């Protein structure tokens, strides 16, 4: 029930008549609004860390009387703000690369188990001060046709989000297996859960449930929108199930045409 927006033009029609032309510009107007929102969001996201950085930099010329402990805090804060900007710019580049990508999904099969093993190493580093129990349950012979860099973004975003948003110490299950002839991936946590009203909007760019908490984790607010784009490119979609006080599960499947199981000899067989 979107309200339609029309553009009207009146033209002479013969000697005595006028012609009224109505054009449906609903979609155009929506796209223009999305573009404006996007630019406004990016500017806002960059302005906040820049304001903090500038604040500290202005103070630098008069630092003789500043206690070393304060200087240390200032440098830490400056570093974390510049990391935040770097993270945002990198995710924006990932997003625009995916949107512009004409790479064909069916050309190469991706060794997902190997990729998950590499992500597991990064996850362990991220988990150092969280101490979650992270359980990886991986079918080591299951691959998919797809684009490696994109898939890596999708898998790692969901795993890192579970680590970041689950109160420590939690339990996180990462599963990669075959279900109904389809390769299936799931990340399940026992965090606080996400209120239902947010679920439909989570994959929108810059949408966050709790802005303050998400920024503290260094999140750009683009992670799930990247996941959504990657999955669309691979003819799949993100399923989110969440229950307050119980936890959340983010999952997706690849069609049987994209799923590849290696045989006992190591040769790849298309399903
Ligand atoms: P961000 O960069 O802020 O993490 P994302 O697009 O990855 O952005 O996620 C959007 C929002 O979804 C997050 O800010 C957070 O509020 C919520 N979220 C994502 N994953 C989880 C999770 N596993 N548990 C609870 N909330 C989550």
């Amino acid at each position: 029930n979107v309200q339609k927006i029309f553009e009207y033009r009146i033209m002479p029609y013969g000697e005595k008549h006028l012609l009224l032309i109505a054009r449906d510009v609903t979609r155009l107007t929506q796209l223009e609004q999305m573009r404006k929102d996007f630019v406004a969001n990016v500017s806002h996201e960059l302005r906040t860390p820049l304001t903090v950085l500038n604040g500290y930099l202005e103070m630098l010329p008069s630092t003789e009387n500043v206690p070393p402990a304060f200087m240390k805090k200032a440098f830490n804060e400056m570093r974390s703000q510049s990391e935040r900007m770097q993270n945002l710019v990198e995710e924006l580049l990932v997003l625009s690369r995916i949107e512009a990508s004409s790479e064909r999904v069916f050309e190469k099969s991706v060794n997902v188990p190997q990729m998950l093993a590499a992500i597991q190493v990064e996850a362990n580093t991220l988990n150092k001060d969280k101490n979650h129990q992270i359980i990886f349950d991986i079918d080591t012979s299951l691959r998919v046709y797809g684009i490696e860099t994109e898939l890596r973004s999708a898998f790692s975003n969901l795993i890192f989000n579970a680590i970041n948003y689950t109160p420590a110490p939690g339990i996180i299950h990462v599963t990669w297996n075959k279900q109904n002839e389809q390769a299936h991936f799931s990340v399940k946590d026992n965090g606080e859960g996400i209120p239902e009203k947010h679920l439909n909007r989570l994959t929108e760019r810059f949408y966050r449930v709790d802005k303050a908490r998400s920024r503290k984790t260094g999140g750009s607010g683009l992670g799930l929108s990247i996941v959504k784009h990657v999955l669309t490119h691979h003819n799949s979609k993100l399923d989110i199930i969440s229950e307050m006080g119980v936890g959340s599960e983010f999952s997706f499947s690849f069609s049987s045409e994209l799923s590849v199981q290696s045989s006992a000899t190591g040769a790849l067989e298309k399903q």
Side-chain angles (χ1 to χ4, degrees):
N1 36 359
V2 179
Q3 223 177 352
K4 291 272 184 197
I5 303 165
F6 290 97
E7 202 179 70
Y8 298 100
R9 271 170 65 198
I10 298 175
M11 293 166 78
Y13 186 69
E15 297 271 300
K16 293 188 187 152
H17 297 91
L18 290 172
L19 187 65
L20 176 70
I21 301 175
R23 192 160 78 109
D24 182 350
V25 291
T26 317
R27 187 71 193 134
L28 259 179
T29 314
Q30 280 171 344
L31 287 174
E32 179 59 10
Q33 189 56 43
M34 275 164 70
R35 193 190 61 78
K36 281 186 189 158
D37 289 348
F38 181 65
V39 173
N41 276 325
V42 173
S43 317
H44 177 78
E45 294 294 328
L46 287 172
R47 195 171 58 186
T48 316
L50 276 173
T51 309
V52 179
L53 274 173
N54 281 337
Y56 283 115
L57 284 172
E58 270 169 27
M59 214 182 58
L60 270 184
S62 56
T63 51
E64 296 102 67
N65 303 320
V66 176
F70 182 82
M71 282 303 286
K72 198 171 159 202
K73 182 175 167 281
F75 278 118
N76 282 340
E77 183 62 17
M78 281 161 67
R79 196 178 49 214
S80 99
Q81 295 299 338
S82 74
E83 273 169 12
R84 198 174 128 190
M85 283 194 291
Q86 189 175 9
N87 188 14
L88 172 63
V89 172
E90 267 162 26
E91 301 236 278
L92 282 171
L93 284 173
V94 171
L95 204 54
S96 72
R97 221 175 287 139
I98 297 169
E99 279 175 340
S101 168
S102 56
E103 251 184 282
R104 286 163 46 98
V105 163
F106 266 107
E107 259 152 38
K108 261 195 235 146
S109 84
V110 177
N111 189 339
V112 175
Q114 198 179 63
M115 178 160 83
L116 286 170
I119 296 173
Q120 189 174 9
V121 175
E122 288 174 46
N124 288 341
T125 312
L126 189 64
N127 192 33
K128 275 221 170 89
D129 42 65
K130 291 277 195 170
N131 261 322
H132 297 307
Q133 188 187 346
I134 311 178
I135 301 153
F136 277 79
D137 186 1
I138 308 297
D139 177 340
T140 52
S141 63
L142 190 58
R143 299 180 172 211
V144 287
Y145 280 102
I147 295 155
E148 182 149 5
T149 47
E150 292 189 11
L151 291 176
R152 197 187 166 99
S153 283
F155 287 107
S156 62
N157 258 304
L158 296 182
I159 296 173
F160 297 165
N161 271 354
I163 297 174
N164 282 328
Y165 293 110
T166 303
I171 304 174
I172 296 165
H173 283 267
V174 180
T175 318
W176 171 245
N177 60 16
K178 211 158 95 176
Q179 287 185 14
N180 307 322
E181 295 308 308
Q182 302 191 323
H184 178 79
F185 179 71
S186 142
V187 180
K188 196 171 176 178
D189 64 55
N190 67 343
E192 286 166 4
I194 303 160
E196 201 185 332
K197 64 175 182 187
H198 296 290
L199 293 181
N200 279 339
R201 303 198 55 193
L202 280 188
T203 56
E204 287 175 22
R205 293 163 177 184
F206 299 111
Y207 193 86
R208 293 157 167 136
V209 175
D210 177 345
K211 280 191 191 290
R213 193 160 124 223
S214 163
R215 291 221 176 88
K216 228 169 65 195
T217 65
S220 66
L222 291 174
L224 291 180
S225 112
I226 291 175
V227 175
K228 180 187 164 180
H229 272 80
V230 169
L231 294 181
T232 308
H233 198 182
H234 290 78
N235 293 327
S236 176
K237 69 175 191 42
L238 183 64
D239 287 317
I240 311 173
I241 305 173
S242 191
E243 198 179 331
M244 294 306 288
V246 178
S248 311
E249 179 174 9
F250 291 75
S251 66
F252 53 81
S253 298
F254 295 108
S255 70
S256 53
E257 293 86 59
L258 285 188
S259 311
V260 194
Q261 190 101 49
S262 57
S263 70
T265 59
L268 295 177
E269 279 168 9
K270 211 164 153 278
Q271 291 302 301

